[in-house]
Amino acid sequence: MSRIRGRKPERQQVRIGAPDRALTANAGLAAVSELCGRLGVIGALDAAVGPVKQRDRGFGAGELLTGIAAAQLAGEDFLTGLDRQRADAAGQQITPVPGLASTTAAGLARRITPAQWQAVEAGLAVVTGRMLSLLPAERAAALAEGPVTIDLDTTDVEVYGRKKRGVAYNHQGQRAGRPHVASWAETEIVLAADLGDGTDDPRATAPDLLRRALAALPQRARASGRVALRADAGYFAGQLARAAHDEHISFAIGAKRIAPLWRLLAGIADDAWHDAIGMDNAQVAVAEYCPDWWPANTRLLIRRVLLDPEQVSAGPRSRRRRTLHPDQRALPIPELAGAGAIYAYSFILTNLDVSAPDKAIAAEHWYRHRTSIENLFRDSKLGAALRHLPSGYPQVNMAWMSGRRRARRPEVPRHGASGPHRAVHHLQRQQRQGRHPQRDRADPHHRQPGAGPASGPARPQPRALGRHRGHPLHQGCRPERGLLPGARTRRSPLHGHCR
């Protein structure tokens, strides 16, 4: 049409000048502040942790962790990012904790005792309960009264400072810290966590971590009687199984491929194997096996997957080759191809009801989804704050990890998310991908909190750059038809600040 009418398309002009202090790239923090206010996050943490200083002034534990989490949501992955956020005059008016400096945060974190770190979990449990009360009744009942799964796992966070405390060299030769996490799988909420070094064995602290995770569950979820534990072979120990049995919950724990388990395979008939759910060439069987000091109702669940010879690496330390039967594991590839069927085996010890084939198949399928906690670790590391530990002090790194838990944890579960919660995660995803979200336009007639008296000098207000409707906070706002970007919009009932 422009050619027919003889018009030239108008080009947008790029203007270069001094930065405008009334602009902020972190307008999405308005949603974070609103969410923290509705859930009473800071008050719940302060009430659980108690005072961290002798004088009742300045920042408390709740403001410390909330401020770190807000900075991480804004894309910061170093403690100095708190100073960058502090220098953003417009952004400070919409952040949940304005004025938090990196030196202040580090000093406060070093004051928090180990008992107070565990009290943080009690404060977040209160926040989780408030979150459930804000959800629709059907969704809240599905989460609290339905199956509740607790996943245990660890991850290594590599560091490079040779003088950093609380870290050690792991088996890969990396100097690392090791977060130990218990999460609520259905909501991806971290219930309890510890921070150790690269040599810590998670089996030693797993029972205590499980008890703390159960205490952090909402009362309705804990009383439902449908709580279950999942853990990989790194937790192959009777101590964790007994702890789960004492707490009257089900468990499924991966077993290491030891000689007694390989010998059991010879006694399993061919008709005892049944096809698995959603996995090609996979079969499931049950064997009577209960290690010493494990609960008496423990059974062994076995999964085997048929492999082609080209799917097996020739390397003796290959991860897949280690899942083969010992008689086939040492064979070269040409001899392995002629050795008959090649199966990769996995072993799971559980007290679930696997008496019938369909129940065994369902239990194996449920256990296979244990990898959801690995997605949680991946999201926390990939371009995000948990890709390193920023301080030489373990207490500061614990605060950093706890802030990342709060920045990552969906206070509203992902399946029941709406409104500001989706905006927060959209903003978080854009920051990880290296993109800058669209800016927000604040009402020039509305004074932001802390803007000072009307007679004083006006503080800069965050304004918009680019299209208004593209911002994640304004998914419910539609610009008037025919208006230019950034023009007046129709007000959404969820976004009363839009004009």
Side-chain angles (χ1 to χ4, degrees), residues 229-437:
L229 163 71
R230 292 187 301 204
D232 61 15
Y235 296 86
F236 180 45
Q239 187 178 5
L240 178 59
R242 293 194 302 272
H245 181 266
D246 294 340
E247 296 292 338
H248 305 288
I249 67 173
S250 304
F251 65 83
I253 303 173
K256 294 185 180 296
R257 299 174 180 88
I258 55 180
L261 301 186
W262 292 119
R263 290 194 293 266
L264 284 174
L265 294 178
I268 300 178
D270 292 339
D271 57 357
W273 296 96
H274 304 277
D275 293 338
I277 299 174
M279 193 172 189
D280 295 337
N281 302 322
Q283 294 179 316
V284 178
V286 178
E288 295 290 334
Y289 177 76
C290 180
D292 290 340
W293 302 105
W294 283 62
N297 59 344
T298 303
R299 297 294 179 268
L300 179 65
L301 199 61
I302 308 173
R303 181 185 68 231
R304 69 179 186 182
V305 182
L306 183 64
L307 301 177
D308 294 328
E310 46 280 357
Q311 293 180 278
V312 181
S313 172
R317 301 184 63 184
S318 167
R319 187 171 183 178
R320 178 168 288 176
R321 180 176 278 270
R322 283 181 290 175
T323 65
L324 304 184
H325 193 280
D327 295 340
Q328 296 179 329
R329 192 182 306 160
L331 295 178
I333 294 296
E335 297 183 18
L336 184 64
I342 305 172
Y343 288 104
Y345 291 92
S346 299
F347 302 95
I348 307 162
L349 288 166
T350 180
N351 64 348
L352 292 167
D353 183 8
V354 291
S355 56
D358 56 337
K359 294 180 180 180
I361 292 171
E364 186 278 331
H365 181 258
W366 166 78
Y367 177 81
R368 201 188 313 154
H369 288 79
R370 188 203 59 79
T371 54
S372 61
I373 192 173
E374 297 177 4
N375 295 332
L376 188 150
F377 288 145
R378 189 178 299 111
D379 290 345
S380 297
K381 287 183 174 182
L382 184 59
L386 203 59
R387 64 187 178 91
H388 79 129
L389 299 174
S391 176
Y393 294 95
Q395 303 96 321
V396 181
N397 290 331
M398 185 68 180
W400 187 257
M401 184 190 72
S402 298
R404 185 56 202 164
R405 284 172 51 194
R406 296 230 15 253
R408 174 62 183 85
R409 70 184 262 128
E411 300 294 3
V412 179
R414 56 177 180 169
H415 300 296
S418 61
H421 172 68
R422 290 189 185 274
V424 170
H425 282 277
H426 183 65
L427 170 66
Q428 195 175 0
R429 184 167 57 254
Q430 285 186 323
Q431 293 284 2
R432 287 201 301 268
Q433 294 173 352
R435 300 180 309 194
H436 293 285

Side-chain angles (χ1 to χ4, degrees), residues 20-323:
D20 189 346
R21 288 174 58 83
L23 299 177
T24 178
N26 302 312
L29 290 178
V32 179
S33 299
E34 178 71 15
L35 188 63
C36 289
R38 290 192 181 188
L39 296 176
V41 175
I42 296 177
L45 289 173
D46 284 338
V49 176
V52 295
K53 298 180 296 183
Q54 292 183 354
R55 293 184 296 176
D56 187 13
R57 58 182 294 182
F59 299 103
E63 291 171 311
L64 167 68
L65 298 179
T66 303
I68 291 177
Q72 292 174 352
L73 279 171
E76 305 294 348
D77 51 5
F78 290 88
L79 280 175
T80 53
L82 293 170
D83 299 324
R84 282 191 290 269
Q85 295 297 312
R86 192 184 185 195
D88 181 6
Q92 287 292 284
Q93 300 181 45
I94 57 176
T95 190
V97 183
L100 182 62
S102 60
T103 52
T104 303
L108 286 176
R110 293 174 62 185
R111 292 173 177 263
I112 301 178
T113 64
Q116 288 176 322
W117 281 123
Q118 294 190 10
V120 169
E121 299 167 0
L124 293 178
V126 174
V127 175
T128 302
R130 294 173 182 172
M131 172 270 294
L132 285 177
S133 66
L134 295 177
L135 290 178
E138 294 183 359
R139 179 58 185 158
L143 287 173
E145 300 173 6
V148 176
T149 305
I150 297 178
D151 286 335
L152 297 186
D153 205 355
T154 62
T155 185
D156 284 355
V157 180
E158 187 175 6
V159 300
Y160 299 97
R162 64 183 180 87
K163 294 185 179 181
K164 282 191 175 181
R165 309 169 190 175
V167 296
Y169 288 100
N170 61 12
H171 66 284
Q172 294 179 326
Q174 300 170 334
R175 192 170 174 82
R178 179 167 293 173
H180 189 192
V181 175
S183 70
W184 183 359
E186 285 76 15
T187 62
E188 294 186 359
I189 290 178
V190 176
L191 299 173
D194 291 323
L195 180 60
D197 59 41
T199 60
D200 282 349
D201 188 344
R203 293 175 294 182
T205 58
D208 178 64
L209 190 69
L210 173 62
R211 297 185 189 98
R212 286 158 45 196
L214 292 173
L217 281 175
Q219 185 61 32
R220 291 173 59 189
R222 184 67 179 92
S224 66
R226 304 181 65 185
V227 183
L229 163 71
R230 292 187 301 204
D232 61 15
Y235 296 86
F236 180 45
Q239 187 178 5
L240 178 59
R242 293 194 302 272
H245 181 266
D246 294 340
E247 296 292 338
H248 305 288
I249 67 173
S250 304
F251 65 83
I253 303 173
K256 294 185 180 296
R257 299 174 180 88
I258 55 180
L261 301 186
W262 292 119
R263 290 194 293 266
L264 284 174
L265 294 178
I268 300 178
D270 292 339
D271 57 357
W273 296 96
H274 304 277
D275 293 338
I277 299 174
M279 193 172 189
D280 295 337
N281 302 322
Q283 294 179 316
V284 178
V286 178
E288 295 290 334
Y289 177 76
C290 180
D292 290 340
W293 302 105
W294 283 62
N297 59 344
T298 303
R299 297 294 179 268
L300 179 65
L301 199 61
I302 308 173
R303 181 185 68 231
R304 69 179 186 182
V305 182
L306 183 64
L307 301 177
D308 294 328
E310 46 280 357
Q311 293 180 278
V312 181
S313 172
R317 301 184 63 184
S318 167
R319 187 171 183 178
R320 178 168 288 176
R321 180 176 278 270
R322 283 181 290 175
T323 65

